[in-house]
Amino acid sequence: MTWRAKVVYNLVWSLGAPEPCFAQEGTIKYTILFKPEDKRVEVPSGSLIQDAALEAGVEINMPCGGQGRCGRCAVIVEEGEVRRRSALRLSAQEVEEGWALACQTVIESDLVVTIPPQERIERRIPTAKVAAKIALPFPYDWRQDQAIQNCFVSVEPPSLDDNTDDFSRLKRALTKEHGIRGLVADLPLLRKLGAVLREADWQVTTVLELDTWASPEGPPRLVDILPGDKTATSWGVAVDIGTTSNVVYLVDLLSGEVRDMAIDYNGQIARGEDIISRIIYASEDDGLRELQELVVGTINKLLKRVCGRQGIKSSEIYKMVVAGNSTMIHLFLAIPPESIRLEPYVTATNHPLPVRAREIGIDINPEATIDCLPGVGSYMGADITAGIASSGLCESKKLTLFMDIGTNGEIVLGDCDWLISCACSAGPAFEGAGVEHGMRATAGAIEEVWINSQTLEPTYRVIGNGSPRGLCGSALISLLAEMFITGIVDKRGRVRKDLDTPRVRGGEHGWEYVVAWGTETAHGGDIAITQVDIENVIRAKAAIHAGYSVLSKSLDVEISQIEEFLIAGAFGQYLNVERAIQIGLLPDLPWEKFKFLGNTSVRGAYMALLSRQARQEIAQIAQMMTYMELSADNRFTQEFVSALFLPHTQIEEYPSVMALLEEQG
Amino acid sequence: MTWRAKVVYNLVWSLGAPEPCFAQEGTIKYTILFKPEDKRVEVPSGSLIQDAALEAGVEINMPCGGQGRCGRCAVIVEEGEVRRRSALRLSAQEVEEGWALACQTVIESDLVVTIPPQERIERRIPTAKVAAKIALPFPYDWRQDQAIQNCFVSVEPPSLDDNTDDFSRLKRALTKEHGIRGLVADLPLLRKLGAVLREADWQVTTVLELDTWASPEGPPRLVDILPGDKTATSWGVAVDIGTTSNVVYLVDLLSGEVRDMAIDYNGQIARGEDIISRIIYASEDDGLRELQELVVGTINKLLKRVCGRQGIKSSEIYKMVVAGNSTMIHLFLAIPPESIRLEPYVTATNHPLPVRAREIGIDINPEATIDCLPGVGSYMGADITAGIASSGLCESKKLTLFMDIGTNGEIVLGDCDWLISCACSAGPAFEGAGVEHGMRATAGAIEEVWINSQTLEPTYRVIGNGSPRGLCGSALISLLAEMFITGIVDKRGRVRKDLDTPRVRGGEHGWEYVVAWGTETAHGGDIAITQVDIENVIRAKAAIHAGYSVLSKSLDVEISQIEEFLIAGAFGQYLNVERAIQIGLLPDLPWEKFKFLGNTSVRGAYMALLSRQARQEIAQIAQMMTYMELSADNRFTQEFVSALFLPHTQIEEYPSVMALLEEQG
């Protein structure tokens, strides 16, 4: 069975449960009873069914990330009143029968809700509810797929007649019992070898790395030697080093399952929010070393967390695969990233060679290999090659566009035969930075806004159910879309000054729209979006739009011919397609073409951790991908300028938006 | 040209000049004029011509180590009186003409001495008079033979049209200009790569290691990258880690020449004189780490010395090859050596894999490979495999016995087709330890003794021309031979108590013979050899004799059939064949069968440093050599007991000694 035939990508892997979020609609509490588990929970009015389910510990699969588009979170409202924001994917009859999308349905009374069996998720690992949702990416057999092999061997004790050295005896036993030849071992292993063999009465478990991507025909290497039979467990970790967040998957290398995961902010954030400021910081004095220590510290903290929860020692982790953008990989390895930000934007290396954990201070087995996945260039890193691999794009005959939106938007267009890519700097607006009241998508961030087209009064949802503190990226998109649809801004994004509402006003930094008054907020100040903020958001969406437009035009492909539109990344995960189309960030295509994949980077790392072939495939992706440098491309500038309108200069390409505007008058 | 055909071993490599030694015959000074250089020097009467030549800075080749056997140090005494102790290799006519062996000729008046041209050594490197004598072991072409290659490359600078990463650009340039493919580099190199390329305007010298013995088909590795063209020099070091002394050869990898050498005591001596006490020390607390630091410290000190003299930076040294016995190699790598001293005497590994200098703290380029040569077992180490390689034994069709005498005697018998070996513990007597007035062969040690057979009064030579402080190993052999020949001891080694001399007396520890009265010595005490000392020396020589007897008998070979008798090691270098035969340490064979090779271990390391094929040959030697474990061999015990006589139970096997005894009456 070939690799391509064997891989069955599961596009609906769930990325894990978001924190419960509660609407700010009032303080009335309703009681929700979930069946068949008979779990009861009390939530404020205005909450979504998904929030109540999370609060109750009832898990519901939400592959589309709660966008109301996949229909997989459908539940039956047996009793009580609800308001369906969207019933996409549900037929009229189903709505009649009480079906509702948990992610789109607001609770308006006490409820009895039944979770249909197919949507209930087995809690295989009670302590790792999040990780339990991550499916195996392909059929997995560790004996075939895994480079890490734990082999128990009975080594023949030496005698005067046979006084071969310890290491040769071990090699002989491995050849005899497991057919493994040519073993090599680094000094730390040779130093402990004799003692372990004798303590264990010559019955030992060897942890071997059969090969690495850098030397697939290289000799097997002894990673560890343990007394007795320790073949029952074997652990690895997959890591995504994002500029903002770092994610660790703890993986059982025997079953292939993700047994736990942990996520936290990259400790480098305090030294610069974006890549460029980190690169500048790294070039100063001891900056590079400091940035490395910070990210290594973050990863070690996450490792400690998952190891603690699963009751394993960090030394039992025998392999780590890392994905991340090229700057993050450079900083992780303490390779100076200076040239990444200077024309002509080259990295020191796009294909770092495997290193040992002890070389960079990662708290796993010191002899474990850390394999940083290969990227394509300075702005097309291993996060994207890993993402492409985990998205299944390379297995597909469909013309597919893959994009990862963040400070930089990376865009890949292709299918199983070819890949072309570009990167465009969207600026930090989508990450809530460079915006008057912007913030990251953490507790207290307004994440969605609705504006009443008559009163121009807003309603909003806050992450974590507290008082609002600012606007995160998705709120900015939501807000701009609503302001455009309700006519608060014109198609150039200019705030109309003639509106009869106190929400629109001349502020310190020009005209602005007030989303929350100081009386409602956590800090007592108003939260508003300013004209400058709007222009930042428009520039960001225009850059992304220009990126995929140039890619498709350079290939003479109409955007409408694109069959799948894959959106990766944490930001993409919470993106509302409708709103994104309304501002022209996404093209006006049928919603089913869009797929939200969440963190594809860590899942690509996870695949590479499991399978040597998957690892090779990522190397092939890095090799086959053509990268278009847009910084000196006139077409990009033209497309960018055309996209500085809402939704676009050529509004006829946005029929659904035109229809809505007409409807709104 | 095959490897075997190509290798032309030079058995007369000189090991380097010993310190000048002056006889203790008086304080009269004589002036010696050396021609044609017209160098004048004043020395005490009784000095040898070789001592005067060394003092004058006139170099004379002494391949046999000053034993009067090779005849290579022949000079012409034009004017003055000398006493020829030996004129071996000189015809009667030559003696008539004034020829004399510099190593055997005592100065008895002012002299005019001419050094014949063929014996004068060119001082190629003025600061390295010692190393200048070490000949290339075989025709050497660094492009063919050397794994370390310095390649200058012009790397194409990146542009927006070609923004491949730095490392790939370097690889591309190496492939294009030098045909080198698949380069790999460790993190420290990737970290400096970008800066060096840009500082050097993309004109760089790469230092590559094309392969190592452990992975002859492995990828070439980047060891260093330097700005500009630095291909004019390339340095390596060959090291011998002896239990007592450490030697470093600084080697020009382009010419293959030894450019300097340095020697010093192994810093571990303070933690135990012999292997066993070091192993015990290593098993205590922090002992292993401490012993490693001591030997690494010694080697670093020697490196500093040669680098300082040659004006090179330690980071310019790109490879180190190390020979040494198995315990020394274990301690050098900080691998616990415990199992070496416990039955069944196994090492952790006989074939350590190459390590990087930074892993063990050796002050050469941190990325340089340190290659510890392979041994055969616990008591047949890399010092012997390297020694065999450098001795040329494996190229010879002659039945050859190789022995390295020290605390342990390692003995190898074989030819180009087979090798059999054994080790026997001689005890520390030959190294001056475990002996009442024993000491190492340093300044103040009596190294040779003559006893007047009439008066039983001794004459002796002291290393370094000072007052005597004790007896070194060669003095013990010399003394025992003289005492036996003059009848002071009987054939069992028992001191005769009926002799009419104050030199023989009952001392604190039994009967003894006084070599130097307190009035002559440095410390004011008498220096004597005791009955116990004599027994120690006899046991030591009996062990060595038993070793080669068992080896030859197990192969049904008469000792007289052995065509060459190669004696390696620092101790062997100063061994007087005649005396060694008289006590039965060596068999009574024609003197021309004995060859003294000096430190073959460091020379084997030097060969392996120069040539990948030589390195492979040493691995083959380690593999093909059969090792006989004598500790449980009855034949050894029998032979040992038979050899506890002077010269041996079967005195008929020592015809020359029988003749001498008859002559002495």
Side-chain angles (χ1 to χ4, degrees):
Chain A
M1 200 196 282
T2 69
W3 166 243
R4 288 190 176 268
K6 188 174 170 185
V7 172
V8 181
Y9 290 106
N10 182 352
L11 282 175
V12 294
W13 289 351
S14 171
L15 205 243
E19 290 292 303
C21 304
F22 299 104
Q24 286 299 97
E25 295 190 4
T27 51
I28 301 163
K29 297 272 185 176
Y30 293 125
T31 301
I32 318 300
L33 172 65
F34 286 99
K35 293 200 161 190
E37 296 184 39
D38 280 335
K39 286 198 173 170
R40 204 176 292 269
V41 70
E42 200 171 69
V43 296
S45 65
S47 299
L48 295 172
I49 291 177
Q50 80 173 33
D51 303 333
L54 282 165
E55 182 73 3
V58 175
E59 291 194 27
I60 299 176
N61 206 350
M62 286 178 291
C64 74
Q67 296 299 322
R69 287 166 293 95
C70 69
R72 293 283 296 278
C73 64
V75 297
I76 304 162
V77 179
E78 308 279 1
E79 292 173 26
E81 295 299 311
V82 296
R83 174 162 53 90
R84 289 176 182 81
R85 282 186 193 156
S86 164
L88 188 76
R89 306 273 179 201
L90 296 180
S91 65
Q93 195 196 329
E94 284 171 328
V95 172
E96 194 81 14
E97 290 168 8
W99 288 89
L101 300 181
C103 72
Q104 296 292 325
T105 301
V106 181
I107 296 163
E108 300 201 322
S109 75
D110 292 347
L111 298 183
V112 176
V113 174
T114 295
I115 313 290
Q118 67 272 24
E119 298 304 329
R120 278 205 315 276
I121 294 149
E122 291 287 314
R123 282 180 169 261
R124 280 167 296 189
I125 320 298
T127 52
K129 65 175 184 179
V130 169
K133 292 189 194 171
I134 299 163
L136 266 177
F138 40 73
Y140 174 70
D141 175 359
W142 69 270
R143 286 170 200 80
Q144 292 297 319
D145 298 323
Q146 187 49 251
I148 299 293
Q149 300 268 330
N150 289 17
C151 299
F152 174 74
V153 278
S154 293
V155 179
E156 212 180 324
S159 66
L160 282 178
D161 293 329
D162 172 16
N163 56 5
T164 307
D165 63 272
D166 290 345
F167 188 55
S168 300
R169 308 188 85 77
L170 179 68
K171 287 170 78 172
R172 203 164 65 186
L174 276 169
T175 302
K176 192 174 155 199
E177 296 183 26
H178 300 276
I180 288 162
R181 288 171 199 282
L183 187 72
V184 298
D186 280 0
L187 265 187
L189 267 298
L190 291 176
R191 287 174 181 157
K192 70 192 273 193
L193 179 66
V196 173
L197 284 171
R198 285 166 183 80
E199 277 162 32
D201 203 19
W202 307 88
Q203 311 289 307
V204 293
T205 299
T206 56
V207 181
L208 309 177
E209 184 167 40
L210 296 189
D211 53 35
T212 64
W213 79 267
S215 90
E217 271 107 52
R221 184 173 68 88
L222 187 64
V223 180
D224 206 357
I225 182 163
L226 306 162
D229 188 345
K230 301 283 164 56
T231 55
T233 58
S234 185
W235 299 97
V237 280
V239 175
D240 172 48
I241 304 181
T243 311
T244 303
S245 303
N246 297 347
V247 182
V248 165
Y249 279 14
L250 176 69
V251 180
D252 174 343
L253 296 182
L254 300 181
S255 70
E257 283 170 2
V258 178
R259 293 288 283 273
D260 202 348
M261 66 163 286
I263 180 165
D264 212 329
Y265 289 111
N266 185 330
Q268 296 172 342
I269 282 181
R271 303 294 178 277
E273 294 244 350
D274 57 70
I275 283 174
I276 300 300
S277 43
R278 303 249 180 105
I279 294 176
I280 292 169
Y281 192 86
S283 68
E284 289 163 8
D285 292 342
D286 217 20
L288 179 59
R289 192 194 51 77
E290 194 189 336
L291 289 177
Q292 186 198 31
E293 283 177 4
L294 285 167
V295 67
V296 165
T298 300
I299 294 168
N300 284 342
K301 186 173 68 180
L302 297 175
L303 287 167
K304 194 172 174 187
R305 211 182 287 167
V306 293
C307 287
R309 283 200 294 249
Q310 301 305 319
I312 67 168
K313 280 182 269 180
S314 60
S315 63
E316 293 177 70
I317 298 174
Y318 294 118
K319 184 153 188 186
M320 176 184 279
V321 176
V322 180
N325 64 55
S326 299
T327 301
M328 287 305 111
I329 298 293
H330 276 59
L331 294 178
F332 177 62
L333 297 175
I335 299 173
E338 189 68 11
S339 58
I340 289 177
R341 76 177 182 98
L342 302 173
E343 195 180 312
Y345 320 115
V346 303
T347 62
T349 179
N350 296 326
H351 299 243
L353 294 157
V355 299
R356 304 268 187 278
R358 62 177 146 88
E359 288 184 82
I360 49 176
I362 286 288
D363 281 343
I364 57 176
N365 188 291
E367 291 304 302
T369 287
I370 295 181
D371 180 10
C372 293
L373 295 174
V376 177
S378 285
Y379 296 103
M380 190 59 58
D383 49 345
I384 304 305
T385 53
I388 292 289
S390 83
S391 75
L393 195 161
C394 288
E395 315 302 317
S396 170
K397 289 198 182 302
K398 293 182 184 171
L399 179 63
T400 304
L401 192 139
F402 174 100
M403 59 192 258
D404 190 337
I405 310 173
T407 304
N408 283 284
E410 290 103 344
I411 303 168
V412 182
L413 183 62
D415 61 19
C416 56
D417 292 321
W418 54 273
L419 293 170
I420 183 165
S421 64
C422 69
C424 37
S425 174
F430 289 152
E431 295 190 343
V435 168
E436 182 87 16
H437 295 104
M439 66 180 287
R440 285 194 300 268
T442 55
I446 294 174
E447 58 164 350
E448 196 161 9
V449 183
W450 298 266
I451 298 177
N452 184 306
S453 60
Q454 305 305 314
T455 63
L456 305 185
E457 282 297 301
T459 313
Y460 51 80
R461 273 160 53 91
V462 177
I463 296 175
N465 194 27
S467 298
R469 305 172 51 85
L471 300 161
C472 74
S474 60
L476 292 171
I477 292 171
S478 176
L479 190 50
L480 183 57
E482 289 286 282
M483 289 167 78
F484 176 54
I485 299 300
T486 56
I488 297 172
V489 296
D490 64 13
K491 64 181 180 178
R492 289 175 188 272
R494 288 176 305 203
V495 177
R496 281 173 55 186
K497 304 175 187 76
D498 56 346
L499 296 170
D500 181 22
T501 166
R503 299 265 172 186
V504 173
R505 68 183 186 192
E508 260 182 74
H509 301 99
W511 286 83
E512 61 188 20
Y513 174 81
V514 181
V515 183
W517 300 113
T519 51
E520 310 159 35
T521 65
H523 45 58
D526 297 347
I527 296 172
I529 183 168
T530 70
Q531 185 65 57
V532 174
D533 297 342
I534 291 167
E535 282 157 19
N536 279 337
V537 175
I538 290 177
R539 270 199 298 275
K541 75 96 186 175
I544 304 289
H545 186 281
Y548 61 76
S549 297
V550 171
L551 270 198
S552 54
K553 287 197 177 155
S554 72
L555 291 164
D556 260 337
V557 167
E558 293 291 321
I559 287 173
S560 60
Q561 290 175 268
I562 296 170
E563 294 169 87
E564 288 208 309
F565 217 101
L566 308 180
I567 299 168
F571 175 69
Q573 191 184 358
Y574 299 106
L575 194 65
N576 181 313
V577 173
E578 192 178 6
R579 306 297 180 88
I581 292 173
Q582 285 163 0
I583 67 164
L585 171 61
L586 296 180
D588 197 355
L589 301 176
W591 288 10
E592 62 268 23
K593 284 197 176 182
F594 296 101
K595 290 205 165 72
F596 291 80
L597 306 183
N599 189 333
T600 51
S601 175
V602 69
R603 289 213 303 281
Y606 168 41
M607 286 169 55
L609 173 67
L610 289 188
S611 152
R612 291 176 271 179
Q613 282 180 288
R615 177 62 179 84
Q616 281 298 334
E617 185 154 288
I618 292 172
Q620 282 162 22
I621 288 169
Q623 202 166 24
M624 76 186 272
M625 194 185 292
T626 305
Y627 178 72
M628 287 178 65
E629 176 57 53
L630 298 185
S631 65
D633 196 314
N634 283 333
R635 290 171 305 177
F636 179 76
T637 315
Q638 284 166 17
E639 289 290 342
F640 177 70
V641 171
S642 301
L644 288 172
F645 286 74
L646 292 173
H648 194 267
T649 322
Q650 290 162 300
I651 194 163
E652 63 277 10
E653 287 180 6
Y654 288 80
S656 80
V657 184
M658 280 172 73
L660 189 62
L661 288 173
E662 275 166 31
E663 191 181 296
Q664 295 278 327
Chain B
M1 201 197 279
T2 68
W3 166 244
R4 287 188 178 271
K6 189 173 168 185
V7 173
V8 182
Y9 290 107
N10 182 352
L11 282 174
V12 294
W13 290 351
S14 171
L15 207 243
E19 290 292 303
C21 304
F22 300 104
Q24 287 300 98
E25 296 191 4
T27 51
I28 301 163
K29 298 272 186 175
Y30 293 126
T31 301
I32 317 301
L33 173 65
F34 286 101
K35 294 199 159 194
E37 296 184 39
D38 280 335
K39 287 196 174 171
R40 204 177 292 269
V41 70
E42 199 170 69
V43 295
S45 64
S47 300
L48 296 173
I49 291 177
Q50 80 175 32
D51 302 333
L54 282 165
E55 181 73 2
V58 174
E59 291 193 28
I60 298 175
N61 206 350
M62 286 179 293
C64 74
Q67 297 299 323
R69 288 168 293 95
C70 70
R72 292 283 297 276
C73 64
V75 296
I76 305 162
V77 179
E78 309 278 0
E79 293 173 25
E81 296 299 313
V82 295
R83 173 161 55 88
R84 291 178 181 76
R85 280 188 193 155
S86 163
L88 187 76
R89 306 278 178 197
L90 296 179
S91 64
Q93 194 195 333
E94 283 172 327
V95 172
E96 194 82 13
E97 290 167 7
W99 288 90
L101 298 181
C103 72
Q104 296 292 326
T105 303
V106 180
I107 296 165
E108 301 202 322
S109 75
D110 293 345
L111 298 182
V112 175
V113 174
T114 295
I115 313 290
Q118 67 272 25
E119 299 305 327
R120 276 205 316 275
I121 293 148
E122 290 286 314
R123 282 182 165 258
R124 280 166 294 186
I125 320 296
T127 51
K129 65 176 185 179
V130 167
K133 292 186 194 172
I134 299 163
L136 265 177
F138 40 72
Y140 173 69
D141 175 357
W142 68 271
R143 286 169 200 82
Q144 293 295 318
D145 299 323
Q146 187 49 249
I148 298 292
Q149 300 268 327
N150 290 16
C151 299
F152 173 74
V153 278
S154 293
V155 179
E156 211 180 323
S159 66
L160 282 178
D161 294 329
D162 173 15
N163 55 5
T164 308
D165 64 273
D166 290 345
F167 188 55
S168 300
R169 309 188 84 77
L170 179 68
K171 287 170 77 172
R172 203 164 64 186
L174 277 169
T175 302
K176 193 174 153 196
E177 296 182 26
H178 299 277
I180 288 161
R181 289 172 199 282
L183 187 73
V184 298
D186 280 359
L187 265 188
L189 267 299
L190 291 176
R191 286 174 181 157
K192 70 192 272 195
L193 179 66
V196 174
L197 284 172
R198 285 168 183 80
E199 277 162 31
D201 203 18
W202 306 88
Q203 310 290 307
V204 293
T205 299
T206 56
V207 180
L208 309 176
E209 185 167 40
L210 296 190
D211 53 36
T212 64
W213 78 268
S215 94
E217 270 108 51
R221 183 173 69 87
L222 187 64
V223 180
D224 205 357
I225 181 164
L226 306 162
D229 187 344
K230 302 281 164 55
T231 55
T233 59
S234 184
W235 299 97
V237 279
V239 175
D240 171 48
I241 306 181
T243 311
T244 303
S245 303
N246 298 347
V247 182
V248 165
Y249 278 14
L250 176 69
V251 180
D252 174 343
L253 296 182
L254 300 181
S255 70
E257 284 171 1
V258 178
R259 294 287 283 274
D260 203 347
M261 68 163 286
I263 181 164
D264 211 328
Y265 289 112
N266 185 331
Q268 296 171 342
I269 283 181
R271 304 294 177 278
E273 295 243 350
D274 58 70
I275 283 174
I276 300 302
S277 42
R278 303 250 180 107
I279 294 176
I280 292 168
Y281 191 87
S283 68
E284 290 164 7
D285 292 338
D286 215 20
L288 179 58
R289 193 193 52 78
E290 192 188 339
L291 289 178
Q292 186 198 29
E293 282 176 6
L294 286 167
V295 68
V296 165
T298 300
I299 294 169
N300 283 343
K301 186 173 67 179
L302 297 175
L303 287 166
K304 195 173 172 186
R305 210 181 289 166
V306 293
C307 286
R309 283 200 294 248
Q310 300 305 320
I312 68 167
K313 281 180 273 182
S314 59
S315 62
E316 293 176 71
I317 298 174
Y318 294 117
K319 185 151 188 186
M320 177 184 276
V321 176
V322 179
N325 66 54
S326 299
T327 301
M328 287 305 112
I329 297 293
H330 276 59
L331 294 178
F332 177 61
L333 297 175
I335 299 173
E338 189 68 12
S339 58
I340 289 177
R341 77 177 181 97
L342 303 172
E343 196 180 310
Y345 320 114
V346 302
T347 64
T349 178
N350 295 329
H351 299 245
L353 293 157
V355 300
R356 303 266 187 279
R358 62 178 147 87
E359 288 183 80
I360 48 176
I362 285 289
D363 282 343
I364 58 175
N365 189 290
E367 292 304 302
T369 288
I370 295 180
D371 180 10
C372 293
L373 295 174
V376 178
S378 284
Y379 295 102
M380 190 58 60
D383 50 344
I384 305 304
T385 54
I388 292 289
S390 83
S391 75
L393 196 161
C394 288
E395 315 302 316
S396 171
K397 289 198 182 302
K398 292 181 183 170
L399 178 63
T400 304
L401 191 137
F402 174 100
M403 61 191 258
D404 190 337
I405 310 171
T407 304
N408 283 283
E410 291 102 343
I411 304 168
V412 181
L413 184 61
D415 61 20
C416 56
D417 293 321
W418 54 271
L419 294 170
I420 183 165
S421 65
C422 69
C424 40
S425 176
F430 288 151
E431 295 189 344
V435 167
E436 182 86 16
H437 295 105
M439 65 181 285
R440 285 195 299 269
T442 55
I446 293 174
E447 59 164 351
E448 196 160 11
V449 183
W450 299 265
I451 298 177
N452 185 306
S453 57
Q454 305 306 315
T455 63
L456 304 184
E457 282 297 299
T459 313
Y460 51 82
R461 271 159 54 91
V462 177
I463 296 176
N465 194 27
S467 298
R469 303 174 52 83
L471 299 162
C472 73
S474 59
L476 293 170
I477 292 172
S478 175
L479 191 49
L480 182 58
E482 290 284 281
M483 288 167 77
F484 175 55
I485 298 300
T486 57
I488 298 172
V489 297
D490 65 14
K491 64 180 179 176
R492 291 176 185 272
R494 290 178 301 205
V495 177
R496 283 173 54 187
K497 305 177 185 69
D498 57 347
L499 295 169
D500 181 23
T501 167
R503 298 265 173 186
V504 172
R505 67 183 188 194
E508 261 182 76
H509 302 100
W511 286 82
E512 60 188 19
Y513 173 80
V514 181
V515 182
W517 298 112
T519 51
E520 311 159 36
T521 66
H523 44 60
D526 295 349
I527 296 171
I529 183 169
T530 69
Q531 185 66 56
V532 174
D533 298 341
I534 291 168
E535 281 158 17
N536 279 337
V537 174
I538 290 178
R539 270 199 298 275
K541 75 97 186 175
I544 303 288
H545 187 282
Y548 60 75
S549 296
V550 170
L551 270 198
S552 54
K553 284 193 179 155
S554 71
L555 290 164
D556 258 338
V557 165
E558 293 291 322
I559 287 174
S560 60
Q561 289 175 268
I562 296 170
E563 294 169 87
E564 288 209 310
F565 216 100
L566 307 180
I567 299 167
F571 176 69
Q573 190 184 358
Y574 301 106
L575 194 65
N576 181 313
V577 173
E578 191 176 8
R579 306 294 180 88
I581 292 172
Q582 285 164 1
I583 67 164
L585 170 61
L586 295 181
D588 197 356
L589 301 177
W591 288 10
E592 61 269 21
K593 283 196 178 184
F594 296 101
K595 290 205 165 70
F596 291 80
L597 305 183
N599 189 332
T600 52
S601 175
V602 69
R603 290 212 304 280
Y606 167 41
M607 285 168 54
L609 174 67
L610 289 187
S611 154
R612 292 177 272 180
Q613 281 180 287
R615 177 61 179 80
Q616 281 298 337
E617 185 153 291
I618 292 172
Q620 283 162 22
I621 288 169
Q623 200 165 25
M624 76 185 272
M625 194 186 291
T626 305
Y627 178 72
M628 288 179 65
E629 176 57 55
L630 297 184
S631 65
D633 195 314
N634 283 334
R635 291 172 304 177
F636 179 77
T637 316
Q638 284 166 16
E639 289 291 341
F640 177 71
V641 170
S642 301
L644 288 173
F645 286 75
L646 293 173
H648 193 268
T649 322
Q650 291 163 298
I651 193 159
E652 63 279 11
E653 288 179 7
Y654 287 80
S656 79
V657 184
M658 281 172 71
L660 189 63
L661 288 172
E662 274 167 31
E663 192 181 296
Q664 295 278 328

